[in-house]
Amino acid sequence: MGKRLAKIDSATPSVQDYTRESDRGSRRHPTFLLPLTLVIATSVLFNPVTVSAQSASTGIIEGTVLDGVGEEPLAAVNVILEGTPYGSMTNADGFFLLRNVPAGEHVLIFRYVGYREVRMTGVAVLPSLRTTIEVRMEATTIEMPPVTVTAERPLVQRDVTGTMYRVASVEINRLPVDTIQDMVELQPGVVSGGHIRGGRVDETIYLLDGVPIQDPTAGISAIGLPKSAITELNIHTGGFDATYGNALSGVVHIITRRGSNRLQSMIRYDRDDLGESFGGTEHSGRGQLEGMISGPFVRDRAFWMIAADHVTDNTRWWQDLQHFSLTTPYHGAWNVFGRADVYLTGKLRLSAQVVLSHEEEQEYEWRWRFNLDGLPVSWRDSGRLALTLNHMISPSIFYDLQFSHFIINRGMHRGSREEVENGTLWTYDTFLQYVRPDGGERLWWFRGEQNITTGRGSITAQAGRHRLRAGFETSFYDLSSDLLKVEPQTTFYGLPLPDLAPLDYSHAYSYQPRTGGLFFQDTWESGDGLILNAGVRYDWLDPRASRPVVEWVPTTADEFEQEITSWVPASRKAQVSPRIGLAFPLPERTWFLFNYGEFFQVPLFDQLYSGLDLDLTRGLRVLVGNPDLEHERTKSYEFAFRRELTDDSAGSVTYFFKESFNLVDTKTYLSADSRALEDGFTQYVNLPLARSSGVELAYERRIVDGVGLKLAYTFMTARGQAETGLSGLNYLQWGFEPPRRMHFLSWDQRHTLMARLMGNLAGIGYNVIARFNSARPYTYAPSSTGVLPEGTEVVPNNSRMKEHFLLDARIRKDISLSRGSREIKLTLFADIRNVTDRRNLVWIASDGRAGGELGDPGAWRIGRRTRIGLEVHF
């Protein structure tokens, strides 16, 4: 059938550039791109504004429209991005291109005179990546209702040169998971606890629509988010390009849901204690209520969306906690997310979002089970306001600007600081086993506040076969922390040493550091499948503090005392990090990938500023921060082969190697007996080295005939000189020198196997996840007295625990109650964790006993829990 021209209505969206990438050589390119990039770079380097660690949350949709019978390309087909003023039109080859499309899932509408309208749903757009589709339209001479088709996600994302996994909202809702970290742990190369490719937990950065939501003092995500607010997760476990910074191991990019022209709402409720009335105790008293509603302010122009959830949980320890004067629930959290998007013009988009989050928990320890009133309550309140402006300057150039203000308040103990300071330090019973019922309290009290203001921007331009991106980001911090923490000294086995002075971890500080970065990224596409990503980042840290210079000053002929002789301003730290990635096609639908990168990360701010209010006359101040810490850095590379085995299945094999430097540990400076810990100070320093390497195998088969399958196997080794920033101090307290030799880290999980079965059987949807983890290491050093002999050398993690096996399942039944134009869907579901009720061991004491001398049940993972719930979509 010959090509025909469509009549373009005046309401047709603005037409964007639809020329094929391979045809761009004859087009005139903007001559101001390079000067503009230089202006941005110069303004960043010489002003207190830094560079984008993240790319804009937009991607590209391209595709071809064909006649459904003759397979001929159709020219001048109107392509509309539903719910937006964005659109395009196919060229003579039936090709169309939409740039600057917000990340997430979209609906595309294809209209052409003489053909039946097509609505394609589920078109997924990934940040900075390309989505390619093919559409066939049916010729008709009469008016017919639109036909709806669903886009299939490609099993191999061909323009990715690193390792990235996408988790769509439909998977998030159907998986037996609760948190974002649960979803991260299901990916190849990630072991339980959230360690990505052998790295520490705080080496992963969490982004919400491109802006960090990290707690910069603790290194973890500081915001909870309702699952209904998430449209997808992009989890980078290796090889992320220069647009991402301040992360050594991984990037978790959360893309949030937007409103649309349709008024939609959802409510969900579940509980795990519905069997309690029949005498059941296999529960935690957990309940969750979640709701979402969204719709338009103005059709195709302005939209809104609100989601909220509330979780209450009596925790696995409720049978102990209920006997004390503690407030229930013992753990609770609520989260609220709101978003508004306005298309000011067809090329200018403004977005605003607000997140509020609260979490509170009663502390619990098995040794305290007869004195739980002595343990404090801890909480976290956080909120963030973010504004984003996105502007399409021309069909091939756009930029985005973001502003974010983030507040985090954390606390521990509801009483005043003075009440805790004047309290009685806890003691054990006669047998040194449990804390006495009248044995005092834990002398912990804390108040901390963080105000983080972040500004970022990036510009993207297409120049021939090159997609160029440059950006900047800056963060201004206002940090305050007031901690009272006094702890008795203990042995390697956790037994208290009452004859020794307790350790004082207290501090109070207030500082205003700044961080930033600058990136330039070039993605070159050959036109026949070859992709080259080359980029460079410049990151910096300005601590804006001084460190004490402590010297030994003689007081008599034979005696010395420590004295602070001066304060030296900490220097500004910076690093230039190259990144390069390559992907090229091989025969038989196979692609080879190579990636090399260097990465920069700011140390935790507590490690910079804790204890700088140093008073050497008070004896040992256990922890002294070091504002002159060097930045932590990593070098890594990976090789991968990815292959589409059939139209519905694909597999991959990946090898990675990573080496980290300047990781933070502690070093103690003492005047005399290092075991006494009575005079001196302990300071954070850059010492440890860490290396990890491994092989990841992955296989995926789409749901065909009601059954889909995902398999992942990871072999990995993780070695280092220290596991945490407190390793050196702990070893010294236990009575021996910190080991500086390389040893296996406690998350050295050699073999990790995950199998996921999903689909639909007789109208019942199911997702079943089985995970096998080989044994992790622990330190075995038995002693009949509970004290190691003087001079004992302990090799950390010299033995192994037991393997893990965990089976989780979620089953659901969908019921449609739709009537006319009103659509109502009910979903009944059961979420079962640890289906086999297996006792999976978490830790072993150094004497080789699981759970230690008391058989602490916390040494085993929680048993089976079953949640029953109902979800309603309107």
Side-chain angles (χ1 to χ4, degrees), residues 284-285 312-332 360-364 372 377-378:
S284 299
T312 58
D313 190 349
N314 285 332
T315 77
R316 66 186 296 189
W317 312 113
W318 61 271
Q319 295 181 77
D320 272 3
L321 289 162
Q322 65 183 347
H323 297 299
F324 290 83
S325 57
L326 303 171
T327 302
T328 58
Y330 307 117
H331 173 263
E360 184 171 320
E361 183 167 22
Q362 168 65 49
E363 300 289 326
Y364 181 91
L372 294 177
V377 172
S378 60

PDB file of all heavy atoms in Angstrom, residues 284-285 312-332 360-364 372 377-378:
ATOM      1  N   SER A 284       4.370 -10.920  63.977  1.00  0.00           N
ATOM      2  CA  SER A 284       5.041  -9.776  64.602  1.00  0.00           C
ATOM      3  C   SER A 284       4.069  -8.646  64.912  1.00  0.00           C
ATOM      4  O   SER A 284       4.492  -7.541  65.230  1.00  0.00           O
ATOM      5  CB  SER A 284       6.161  -9.259  63.687  1.00  0.00           C
ATOM      6  OG  SER A 284       7.138 -10.248  63.466  1.00  0.00           O
ATOM      7  N   GLY A 285       2.780  -8.917  64.760  1.00  0.00           N
ATOM      8  CA  GLY A 285       1.799  -7.863  64.985  1.00  0.00           C
ATOM      9  C   GLY A 285       1.939  -6.724  64.004  1.00  0.00           C
ATOM     10  O   GLY A 285       1.707  -5.562  64.334  1.00  0.00           O
ATOM     11  N   THR A 312       2.737  -0.293  61.322  1.00  0.00           N
ATOM     12  CA  THR A 312       2.921  -0.550  62.754  1.00  0.00           C
ATOM     13  C   THR A 312       3.414  -1.979  62.916  1.00  0.00           C
ATOM     14  O   THR A 312       2.985  -2.886  62.182  1.00  0.00           O
ATOM     15  CB  THR A 312       1.620  -0.354  63.537  1.00  0.00           C
ATOM     16  OG1 THR A 312       0.616  -1.215  63.001  1.00  0.00           O
ATOM     17  CG2 THR A 312       1.156   1.095  63.439  1.00  0.00           C
ATOM     18  N   ASP A 313       4.296  -2.175  63.894  1.00  0.00           N
ATOM     19  CA  ASP A 313       4.937  -3.477  64.028  1.00  0.00           C
ATOM     20  C   ASP A 313       5.349  -3.657  65.493  1.00  0.00           C
ATOM     21  O   ASP A 313       6.061  -2.817  66.046  1.00  0.00           O
ATOM     22  CB  ASP A 313       6.162  -3.534  63.108  1.00  0.00           C
ATOM     23  CG  ASP A 313       6.753  -4.924  62.988  1.00  0.00           C
ATOM     24  OD1 ASP A 313       6.364  -5.803  63.769  1.00  0.00           O
ATOM     25  OD2 ASP A 313       7.619  -5.119  62.122  1.00  0.00           O
ATOM     26  N   ASN A 314       4.912  -4.745  66.088  1.00  0.00           N
ATOM     27  CA  ASN A 314       5.341  -5.043  67.456  1.00  0.00           C
ATOM     28  C   ASN A 314       6.676  -5.779  67.496  1.00  0.00           C
ATOM     29  O   ASN A 314       7.155  -6.107  68.581  1.00  0.00           O
ATOM     30  CB  ASN A 314       4.272  -5.866  68.178  1.00  0.00           C
ATOM     31  CG  ASN A 314       3.079  -5.011  68.567  1.00  0.00           C
ATOM     32  OD1 ASN A 314       3.219  -3.812  68.781  1.00  0.00           O
ATOM     33  ND2 ASN A 314       1.909  -5.621  68.625  1.00  0.00           N
ATOM     34  N   THR A 315       7.247  -6.051  66.332  1.00  0.00           N
ATOM     35  CA  THR A 315       8.540  -6.710  66.140  1.00  0.00           C
ATOM     36  C   THR A 315       8.492  -8.159  66.612  1.00  0.00           C
ATOM     37  O   THR A 315       7.551  -8.587  67.289  1.00  0.00           O
ATOM     38  CB  THR A 315       9.703  -5.976  66.834  1.00  0.00           C
ATOM     39  OG1 THR A 315       9.686  -6.249  68.246  1.00  0.00           O
ATOM     40  CG2 THR A 315       9.612  -4.479  66.607  1.00  0.00           C
ATOM     41  N   ARG A 316       9.496  -8.907  66.265  1.00  0.00           N
ATOM     42  CA  ARG A 316       9.536 -10.325  66.626  1.00  0.00           C
ATOM     43  C   ARG A 316       9.656 -10.536  68.129  1.00  0.00           C
ATOM     44  O   ARG A 316       9.479 -11.647  68.629  1.00  0.00           O
ATOM     45  CB  ARG A 316      10.711 -11.001  65.918  1.00  0.00           C
ATOM     46  CG  ARG A 316      12.071 -10.506  66.364  1.00  0.00           C
ATOM     47  CD  ARG A 316      13.215 -11.074  65.552  1.00  0.00           C
ATOM     48  NE  ARG A 316      13.346 -12.510  65.687  1.00  0.00           N
ATOM     49  CZ  ARG A 316      14.380 -13.206  65.201  1.00  0.00           C
ATOM     50  NH1 ARG A 316      15.342 -12.571  64.529  1.00  0.00           N
ATOM     51  NH2 ARG A 316      14.447 -14.514  65.352  1.00  0.00           N
ATOM     52  N   TRP A 317       9.955  -9.451  68.885  1.00  0.00           N
ATOM     53  CA  TRP A 317      10.195  -9.565  70.325  1.00  0.00           C
ATOM     54  C   TRP A 317       8.972  -9.183  71.158  1.00  0.00           C
ATOM     55  O   TRP A 317       9.090  -8.914  72.341  1.00  0.00           O
ATOM     56  CB  TRP A 317      11.374  -8.676  70.733  1.00  0.00           C
ATOM     57  CG  TRP A 317      12.571  -8.835  69.855  1.00  0.00           C
ATOM     58  CD1 TRP A 317      13.106  -7.918  68.998  1.00  0.00           C
ATOM     59  CD2 TRP A 317      13.403  -9.993  69.736  1.00  0.00           C
ATOM     60  NE1 TRP A 317      14.200  -8.434  68.348  1.00  0.00           N
ATOM     61  CE2 TRP A 317      14.413  -9.705  68.778  1.00  0.00           C
ATOM     62  CE3 TRP A 317      13.384 -11.266  70.328  1.00  0.00           C
ATOM     63  CZ2 TRP A 317      15.380 -10.617  68.416  1.00  0.00           C
ATOM     64  CZ3 TRP A 317      14.361 -12.173  69.965  1.00  0.00           C
ATOM     65  CH2 TRP A 317      15.346 -11.852  69.022  1.00  0.00           C
ATOM     66  N   TRP A 318       7.789  -9.144  70.544  1.00  0.00           N
ATOM     67  CA  TRP A 318       6.607  -8.620  71.246  1.00  0.00           C
ATOM     68  C   TRP A 318       6.277  -9.398  72.517  1.00  0.00           C
ATOM     69  O   TRP A 318       5.747  -8.820  73.476  1.00  0.00           O
ATOM     70  CB  TRP A 318       5.406  -8.600  70.306  1.00  0.00           C
ATOM     71  CG  TRP A 318       4.973  -9.924  69.762  1.00  0.00           C
ATOM     72  CD1 TRP A 318       5.411 -10.522  68.625  1.00  0.00           C
ATOM     73  CD2 TRP A 318       3.998 -10.820  70.323  1.00  0.00           C
ATOM     74  NE1 TRP A 318       4.800 -11.719  68.421  1.00  0.00           N
ATOM     75  CE2 TRP A 318       3.907 -11.937  69.454  1.00  0.00           C
ATOM     76  CE3 TRP A 318       3.194 -10.791  71.464  1.00  0.00           C
ATOM     77  CZ2 TRP A 318       3.059 -13.011  69.692  1.00  0.00           C
ATOM     78  CZ3 TRP A 318       2.341 -11.862  71.697  1.00  0.00           C
ATOM     79  CH2 TRP A 318       2.272 -12.945  70.827  1.00  0.00           C
ATOM     80  N   GLN A 319       6.607 -10.673  72.561  1.00  0.00           N
ATOM     81  CA  GLN A 319       6.256 -11.458  73.763  1.00  0.00           C
ATOM     82  C   GLN A 319       7.087 -11.036  74.969  1.00  0.00           C
ATOM     83  O   GLN A 319       6.631 -11.175  76.111  1.00  0.00           O
ATOM     84  CB  GLN A 319       6.426 -12.947  73.478  1.00  0.00           C
ATOM     85  CG  GLN A 319       5.443 -13.449  72.421  1.00  0.00           C
ATOM     86  CD  GLN A 319       5.574 -14.926  72.151  1.00  0.00           C
ATOM     87  OE1 GLN A 319       5.120 -15.755  72.938  1.00  0.00           O
ATOM     88  NE2 GLN A 319       6.199 -15.271  71.043  1.00  0.00           N
ATOM     89  N   ASP A 320       8.288 -10.531  74.743  1.00  0.00           N
ATOM     90  CA  ASP A 320       9.078  -9.962  75.843  1.00  0.00           C
ATOM     91  C   ASP A 320       8.652  -8.533  76.147  1.00  0.00           C
ATOM     92  O   ASP A 320       8.489  -8.140  77.300  1.00  0.00           O
ATOM     93  CB  ASP A 320      10.571  -9.978  75.482  1.00  0.00           C
ATOM     94  CG  ASP A 320      11.242 -11.297  75.881  1.00  0.00           C
ATOM     95  OD1 ASP A 320      10.533 -12.194  76.380  1.00  0.00           O
ATOM     96  OD2 ASP A 320      12.459 -11.426  75.671  1.00  0.00           O
ATOM     97  N   LEU A 321       8.484  -7.744  75.094  1.00  0.00           N
ATOM     98  CA  LEU A 321       8.223  -6.310  75.258  1.00  0.00           C
ATOM     99  C   LEU A 321       6.899  -6.037  75.964  1.00  0.00           C
ATOM    100  O   LEU A 321       6.759  -5.030  76.660  1.00  0.00           O
ATOM    101  CB  LEU A 321       8.239  -5.635  73.885  1.00  0.00           C
ATOM    102  CG  LEU A 321       9.613  -5.517  73.218  1.00  0.00           C
ATOM    103  CD1 LEU A 321       9.471  -5.243  71.729  1.00  0.00           C
ATOM    104  CD2 LEU A 321      10.444  -4.415  73.865  1.00  0.00           C
ATOM    105  N   GLN A 322       5.914  -6.927  75.812  1.00  0.00           N
ATOM    106  CA  GLN A 322       4.592  -6.660  76.373  1.00  0.00           C
ATOM    107  C   GLN A 322       4.576  -6.687  77.896  1.00  0.00           C
ATOM    108  O   GLN A 322       3.607  -6.239  78.517  1.00  0.00           O
ATOM    109  CB  GLN A 322       3.589  -7.679  75.830  1.00  0.00           C
ATOM    110  CG  GLN A 322       3.856  -9.115  76.270  1.00  0.00           C
ATOM    111  CD  GLN A 322       2.883 -10.098  75.662  1.00  0.00           C
ATOM    112  OE1 GLN A 322       1.867  -9.703  75.102  1.00  0.00           O
ATOM    113  NE2 GLN A 322       3.185 -11.387  75.761  1.00  0.00           N
ATOM    114  N   HIS A 323       5.635  -7.169  78.521  1.00  0.00           N
ATOM    115  CA  HIS A 323       5.665  -7.256  79.984  1.00  0.00           C
ATOM    116  C   HIS A 323       6.258  -6.005  80.632  1.00  0.00           C
ATOM    117  O   HIS A 323       6.425  -5.964  81.855  1.00  0.00           O
ATOM    118  CB  HIS A 323       6.472  -8.479  80.415  1.00  0.00           C
ATOM    119  CG  HIS A 323       5.871  -9.779  79.952  1.00  0.00           C
ATOM    120  ND1 HIS A 323       4.615 -10.207  80.324  1.00  0.00           N
ATOM    121  CD2 HIS A 323       6.358 -10.745  79.124  1.00  0.00           C
ATOM    122  CE1 HIS A 323       4.355 -11.373  79.763  1.00  0.00           C
ATOM    123  NE2 HIS A 323       5.390 -11.723  79.024  1.00  0.00           N
ATOM    124  N   PHE A 324       6.586  -4.983  79.829  1.00  0.00           N
ATOM    125  CA  PHE A 324       7.212  -3.786  80.377  1.00  0.00           C
ATOM    126  C   PHE A 324       6.346  -2.563  80.081  1.00  0.00           C
ATOM    127  O   PHE A 324       5.410  -2.623  79.286  1.00  0.00           O
ATOM    128  CB  PHE A 324       8.616  -3.614  79.801  1.00  0.00           C
ATOM    129  CG  PHE A 324       9.578  -4.653  80.296  1.00  0.00           C
ATOM    130  CD1 PHE A 324       9.648  -5.909  79.707  1.00  0.00           C
ATOM    131  CD2 PHE A 324      10.408  -4.382  81.377  1.00  0.00           C
ATOM    132  CE1 PHE A 324      10.516  -6.870  80.172  1.00  0.00           C
ATOM    133  CE2 PHE A 324      11.288  -5.342  81.848  1.00  0.00           C
ATOM    134  CZ  PHE A 324      11.343  -6.590  81.251  1.00  0.00           C
ATOM    135  N   SER A 325       6.669  -1.471  80.748  1.00  0.00           N
ATOM    136  CA  SER A 325       5.871  -0.241  80.608  1.00  0.00           C
ATOM    137  C   SER A 325       6.311   0.522  79.367  1.00  0.00           C
ATOM    138  O   SER A 325       6.715   1.680  79.430  1.00  0.00           O
ATOM    139  CB  SER A 325       6.032   0.633  81.849  1.00  0.00           C
ATOM    140  OG  SER A 325       7.407   0.933  82.063  1.00  0.00           O
ATOM    141  N   LEU A 326       6.222  -0.168  78.228  1.00  0.00           N
ATOM    142  CA  LEU A 326       6.649   0.415  76.960  1.00  0.00           C
ATOM    143  C   LEU A 326       5.430   0.678  76.093  1.00  0.00           C
ATOM    144  O   LEU A 326       4.423  -0.016  76.176  1.00  0.00           O
ATOM    145  CB  LEU A 326       7.621  -0.522  76.247  1.00  0.00           C
ATOM    146  CG  LEU A 326       8.862  -0.905  77.057  1.00  0.00           C
ATOM    147  CD1 LEU A 326       9.645  -2.003  76.346  1.00  0.00           C
ATOM    148  CD2 LEU A 326       9.750   0.301  77.292  1.00  0.00           C
ATOM    149  N   THR A 327       5.547   1.678  75.254  1.00  0.00           N
ATOM    150  CA  THR A 327       4.423   2.077  74.408  1.00  0.00           C
ATOM    151  C   THR A 327       4.375   1.227  73.147  1.00  0.00           C
ATOM    152  O   THR A 327       5.380   1.047  72.456  1.00  0.00           O
ATOM    153  CB  THR A 327       4.561   3.559  74.021  1.00  0.00           C
ATOM    154  OG1 THR A 327       4.627   4.345  75.213  1.00  0.00           O
ATOM    155  CG2 THR A 327       3.370   4.005  73.194  1.00  0.00           C
ATOM    156  N   THR A 328       3.190   0.689  72.836  1.00  0.00           N
ATOM    157  CA  THR A 328       3.014  -0.063  71.595  1.00  0.00           C
ATOM    158  C   THR A 328       2.419   0.864  70.529  1.00  0.00           C
ATOM    159  O   THR A 328       1.722   1.824  70.858  1.00  0.00           O
ATOM    160  CB  THR A 328       2.067  -1.257  71.802  1.00  0.00           C
ATOM    161  OG1 THR A 328       0.812  -0.770  72.283  1.00  0.00           O
ATOM    162  CG2 THR A 328       2.638  -2.243  72.791  1.00  0.00           C
ATOM    163  N   PRO A 329       2.653   0.614  69.230  1.00  0.00           N
ATOM    164  CA  PRO A 329       3.527  -0.440  68.716  1.00  0.00           C
ATOM    165  C   PRO A 329       4.991  -0.117  68.982  1.00  0.00           C
ATOM    166  O   PRO A 329       5.362   1.044  69.150  1.00  0.00           O
ATOM    167  CB  PRO A 329       3.224  -0.446  67.222  1.00  0.00           C
ATOM    168  CG  PRO A 329       2.821   0.963  66.932  1.00  0.00           C
ATOM    169  CD  PRO A 329       2.082   1.434  68.133  1.00  0.00           C
ATOM    170  N   TYR A 330       5.804  -1.140  69.019  1.00  0.00           N
ATOM    171  CA  TYR A 330       7.211  -0.950  69.361  1.00  0.00           C
ATOM    172  C   TYR A 330       8.029  -0.451  68.175  1.00  0.00           C
ATOM    173  O   TYR A 330       9.154  -0.008  68.344  1.00  0.00           O
ATOM    174  CB  TYR A 330       7.783  -2.253  69.909  1.00  0.00           C
ATOM    175  CG  TYR A 330       6.958  -2.795  71.043  1.00  0.00           C
ATOM    176  CD1 TYR A 330       6.311  -4.022  70.945  1.00  0.00           C
ATOM    177  CD2 TYR A 330       6.782  -2.058  72.215  1.00  0.00           C
ATOM    178  CE1 TYR A 330       5.534  -4.511  71.976  1.00  0.00           C
ATOM    179  CE2 TYR A 330       6.008  -2.548  73.257  1.00  0.00           C
ATOM    180  CZ  TYR A 330       5.387  -3.763  73.131  1.00  0.00           C
ATOM    181  OH  TYR A 330       4.601  -4.231  74.160  1.00  0.00           O
ATOM    182  N   HIS A 331       7.453  -0.547  66.988  1.00  0.00           N
ATOM    183  CA  HIS A 331       8.062   0.055  65.807  1.00  0.00           C
ATOM    184  C   HIS A 331       6.942   0.620  64.952  1.00  0.00           C
ATOM    185  O   HIS A 331       5.913  -0.034  64.731  1.00  0.00           O
ATOM    186  CB  HIS A 331       8.864  -0.966  64.996  1.00  0.00           C
ATOM    187  CG  HIS A 331       9.364  -0.421  63.682  1.00  0.00           C
ATOM    188  ND1 HIS A 331       8.703  -0.636  62.492  1.00  0.00           N
ATOM    189  CD2 HIS A 331      10.426   0.356  63.376  1.00  0.00           C
ATOM    190  CE1 HIS A 331       9.348  -0.031  61.510  1.00  0.00           C
ATOM    191  NE2 HIS A 331      10.396   0.576  62.010  1.00  0.00           N
ATOM    192  N   GLY A 332       7.112   1.835  64.480  1.00  0.00           N
ATOM    193  CA  GLY A 332       6.107   2.445  63.631  1.00  0.00           C
ATOM    194  C   GLY A 332       6.732   3.409  62.649  1.00  0.00           C
ATOM    195  O   GLY A 332       7.809   3.963  62.901  1.00  0.00           O
ATOM    196  N   GLU A 360      10.012   5.384  64.154  1.00  0.00           N
ATOM    197  CA  GLU A 360      10.299   5.332  65.589  1.00  0.00           C
ATOM    198  C   GLU A 360      10.378   3.879  66.017  1.00  0.00           C
ATOM    199  O   GLU A 360       9.578   3.048  65.576  1.00  0.00           O
ATOM    200  CB  GLU A 360       9.211   6.060  66.371  1.00  0.00           C
ATOM    201  CG  GLU A 360       9.451   6.145  67.857  1.00  0.00           C
ATOM    202  CD  GLU A 360       8.461   7.058  68.552  1.00  0.00           C
ATOM    203  OE1 GLU A 360       8.146   8.124  67.974  1.00  0.00           O
ATOM    204  OE2 GLU A 360       8.005   6.695  69.638  1.00  0.00           O
ATOM    205  N   GLU A 361      11.328   3.559  66.891  1.00  0.00           N
ATOM    206  CA  GLU A 361      11.501   2.167  67.286  1.00  0.00           C
ATOM    207  C   GLU A 361      12.025   2.066  68.713  1.00  0.00           C
ATOM    208  O   GLU A 361      12.925   2.812  69.123  1.00  0.00           O
ATOM    209  CB  GLU A 361      12.467   1.452  66.340  1.00  0.00           C
ATOM    210  CG  GLU A 361      12.646  -0.024  66.651  1.00  0.00           C
ATOM    211  CD  GLU A 361      13.348  -0.781  65.545  1.00  0.00           C
ATOM    212  OE1 GLU A 361      14.055  -0.139  64.750  1.00  0.00           O
ATOM    213  OE2 GLU A 361      13.181  -2.007  65.472  1.00  0.00           O
ATOM    214  N   GLN A 362      11.455   1.128  69.459  1.00  0.00           N
ATOM    215  CA  GLN A 362      11.944   0.785  70.784  1.00  0.00           C
ATOM    216  C   GLN A 362      13.141  -0.157  70.631  1.00  0.00           C
ATOM    217  O   GLN A 362      13.048  -1.185  69.963  1.00  0.00           O
ATOM    218  CB  GLN A 362      10.847   0.106  71.601  1.00  0.00           C
ATOM    219  CG  GLN A 362      11.322  -0.543  72.890  1.00  0.00           C
ATOM    220  CD  GLN A 362      11.842   0.457  73.894  1.00  0.00           C
ATOM    221  OE1 GLN A 362      11.176   1.447  74.164  1.00  0.00           O
ATOM    222  NE2 GLN A 362      13.024   0.218  74.438  1.00  0.00           N
ATOM    223  N   GLU A 363      14.269   0.185  71.239  1.00  0.00           N
ATOM    224  CA  GLU A 363      15.445  -0.669  71.156  1.00  0.00           C
ATOM    225  C   GLU A 363      15.194  -1.991  71.889  1.00  0.00           C
ATOM    226  O   GLU A 363      14.409  -2.062  72.842  1.00  0.00           O
ATOM    227  CB  GLU A 363      16.652   0.040  71.770  1.00  0.00           C
ATOM    228  CG  GLU A 363      17.021   1.347  71.099  1.00  0.00           C
ATOM    229  CD  GLU A 363      17.619   1.150  69.721  1.00  0.00           C
ATOM    230  OE1 GLU A 363      18.316   0.137  69.522  1.00  0.00           O
ATOM    231  OE2 GLU A 363      17.364   1.992  68.847  1.00  0.00           O
ATOM    232  N   TYR A 364      15.873  -3.048  71.425  1.00  0.00           N
ATOM    233  CA  TYR A 364      15.739  -4.358  72.066  1.00  0.00           C
ATOM    234  C   TYR A 364      17.063  -5.105  71.967  1.00  0.00           C
ATOM    235  O   TYR A 364      17.723  -5.084  70.919  1.00  0.00           O
ATOM    236  CB  TYR A 364      14.643  -5.203  71.414  1.00  0.00           C
ATOM    237  CG  TYR A 364      14.474  -6.560  72.081  1.00  0.00           C
ATOM    238  CD1 TYR A 364      13.582  -6.729  73.121  1.00  0.00           C
ATOM    239  CD2 TYR A 364      15.244  -7.647  71.689  1.00  0.00           C
ATOM    240  CE1 TYR A 364      13.444  -7.954  73.762  1.00  0.00           C
ATOM    241  CE2 TYR A 364      15.122  -8.874  72.319  1.00  0.00           C
ATOM    242  CZ  TYR A 364      14.217  -9.024  73.352  1.00  0.00           C
ATOM    243  OH  TYR A 364      14.102 -10.241  73.987  1.00  0.00           O
ATOM    244  N   LEU A 372      14.043  -4.187  79.981  1.00  0.00           N
ATOM    245  CA  LEU A 372      13.830  -3.501  78.705  1.00  0.00           C
ATOM    246  C   LEU A 372      13.468  -2.041  78.895  1.00  0.00           C
ATOM    247  O   LEU A 372      13.615  -1.238  77.968  1.00  0.00           O
ATOM    248  CB  LEU A 372      12.753  -4.222  77.891  1.00  0.00           C
ATOM    249  CG  LEU A 372      13.140  -5.636  77.428  1.00  0.00           C
ATOM    250  CD1 LEU A 372      11.977  -6.298  76.698  1.00  0.00           C
ATOM    251  CD2 LEU A 372      14.363  -5.596  76.527  1.00  0.00           C
ATOM    252  N   VAL A 377      14.263   4.734  73.244  1.00  0.00           N
ATOM    253  CA  VAL A 377      13.551   4.794  71.964  1.00  0.00           C
ATOM    254  C   VAL A 377      14.377   5.650  71.014  1.00  0.00           C
ATOM    255  O   VAL A 377      14.955   6.662  71.412  1.00  0.00           O
ATOM    256  CB  VAL A 377      12.152   5.404  72.153  1.00  0.00           C
ATOM    257  CG1 VAL A 377      11.479   5.641  70.799  1.00  0.00           C
ATOM    258  CG2 VAL A 377      11.293   4.502  73.024  1.00  0.00           C
ATOM    259  N   SER A 378      14.461   5.247  69.750  1.00  0.00           N
ATOM    260  CA  SER A 378      15.145   6.050  68.737  1.00  0.00           C
ATOM    261  C   SER A 378      14.149   6.426  67.650  1.00  0.00           C
ATOM    262  O   SER A 378      13.169   5.709  67.417  1.00  0.00           O
ATOM    263  CB  SER A 378      16.332   5.298  68.133  1.00  0.00           C
ATOM    264  OG  SER A 378      15.897   4.101  67.522  1.00  0.00           O
TER     265      SER A 378
END
